[in-house]
Amino acid sequence: MNFLEIAQTRQSCRAYDESRPVEPEKLDAVLEAVRLAPSACNGQPYHITVCQGETAKAVAAATAGMALNKFAVQAPILLVLSEMPYVASAAAGSRMKQNDYRSMDIGIAAAYLTAEATAQGLGTCILGWLDDRKIREICSLKYPVRLVITLGYAKEGDRLRAKKRKELSELVTKL
């Protein structure tokens, strides 16, 4: 599968096959993709906590406020992305340019993670609605949680939905 095919087929999975675990080698491939993702000054200012079993269910519950993300409890794995401190050079650049490189780096890491998951035949959903305090407590994390990504096999019959995106002309200016 080339990258454009991955981009065309990746979607937010909201129905997981609870009976089908993710093979360790597929999880390792997804995590390796994150390790290889670019980041400001190669600082990788994030940490991924892999949650499975009862821990995954507890984290899923901490993403389900206001009736959102109820499907997360079906996913066999939840990946918690927490923000770590900058390396010195990225911290200096961030201050000088007033740019939040950590948020960018976490977004890039999430993109690499979800792309490799798709290449491995797995479904993902990036969750930004979460209870930071509760997840930090569950996972014994010192630093803020920025995203939780569900990971698993889509339930049988979960069809590819049509992509609703802006036209390229709305997103790109060629000078």
Side-chain angles (χ1 to χ4, degrees), residues 10-18 20 22 27 30-31 34 48-52 55-64 68-81 109-110 112-118 121-130 135 145-155 158 161:
R10 193 258 158 214
Q11 65 183 3
S12 295
C13 182
R14 292 190 176 87
Y16 290 92
D17 183 346
E18 296 179 74
R20 192 169 177 198
V22 173
L27 174 59
V30 167
L31 297 172
V34 175
I48 300 169
T49 303
V50 179
C51 302
Q52 300 177 79
T55 304
K57 298 220 181 294
V59 170
T63 68
L68 295 172
N69 304 324
K70 288 183 177 184
F71 63 89
V73 73
Q74 300 169 354
I77 297 174
L78 274 74
L79 302 167
V80 175
L81 280 72
Y112 270 56
L113 187 158
T114 58
E116 181 58 30
T118 300
L122 299 168
T124 57
C125 190
I126 302 169
L127 310 177
W129 184 272
L130 52 87
I135 295 172
V145 174
R146 295 297 179 217
L147 297 174
V148 172
I149 301 178
T150 57
L151 180 70
Y153 285 98
K155 199 175 269 189
D158 186 35
R161 298 181 298 275

Side-chain angles (χ1 to χ4, degrees), residues 4-173:
L4 196 52
E5 291 170 326
I6 290 168
Q8 290 167 337
T9 59
R10 193 258 158 214
Q11 65 183 3
S12 295
C13 182
R14 292 190 176 87
Y16 290 92
D17 183 346
E18 296 179 74
S19 69
R20 192 169 177 198
V22 173
E23 298 86 345
E25 61 274 10
K26 289 189 176 191
L27 174 59
D28 289 346
V30 167
L31 297 172
E32 179 65 6
V34 175
R35 188 183 75 80
L36 295 172
S39 62
C41 302
N42 292 320
Q44 298 175 295
Y46 44 80
H47 181 81
I48 300 169
T49 303
V50 179
C51 302
Q52 300 177 79
E54 292 306 312
T55 304
K57 298 220 181 294
V59 170
T63 68
M66 297 191 57
L68 295 172
N69 304 324
K70 288 183 177 184
F71 63 89
V73 73
Q74 300 169 354
I77 297 174
L78 274 74
L79 302 167
V80 175
L81 280 72
S82 50
E83 178 182 283
M84 300 299 288
Y86 281 119
V87 295
S89 54
S94 177
R95 279 192 306 276
M96 287 171 45
K97 294 298 178 182
Q98 297 184 3
N99 220 337
D100 181 10
Y101 297 125
R102 281 186 294 216
S103 291
M104 292 180 222
D105 293 343
I106 290 168
I108 293 166
Y112 270 56
L113 187 158
T114 58
E116 181 58 30
T118 300
Q120 294 291 329
L122 299 168
T124 57
C125 190
I126 302 169
L127 310 177
W129 184 272
L130 52 87
D131 184 332
D132 171 64
R133 182 196 57 76
K134 191 168 194 169
I135 295 172
R136 286 168 73 174
E137 183 180 301
I138 293 164
C139 298
S140 301
L141 298 171
K142 180 178 177 182
Y143 295 103
V145 174
R146 295 297 179 217
L147 297 174
V148 172
I149 301 178
T150 57
L151 180 70
Y153 285 98
K155 199 175 269 189
E156 185 78 27
D158 186 35
R159 61 180 174 74
L160 186 61
R161 298 181 298 275
K163 298 241 184 242
K164 296 176 185 173
R165 301 291 191 270
K166 292 180 179 179
E167 292 296 321
L168 196 56
S169 62
E170 293 181 72
L171 297 172
V172 177
T173 300

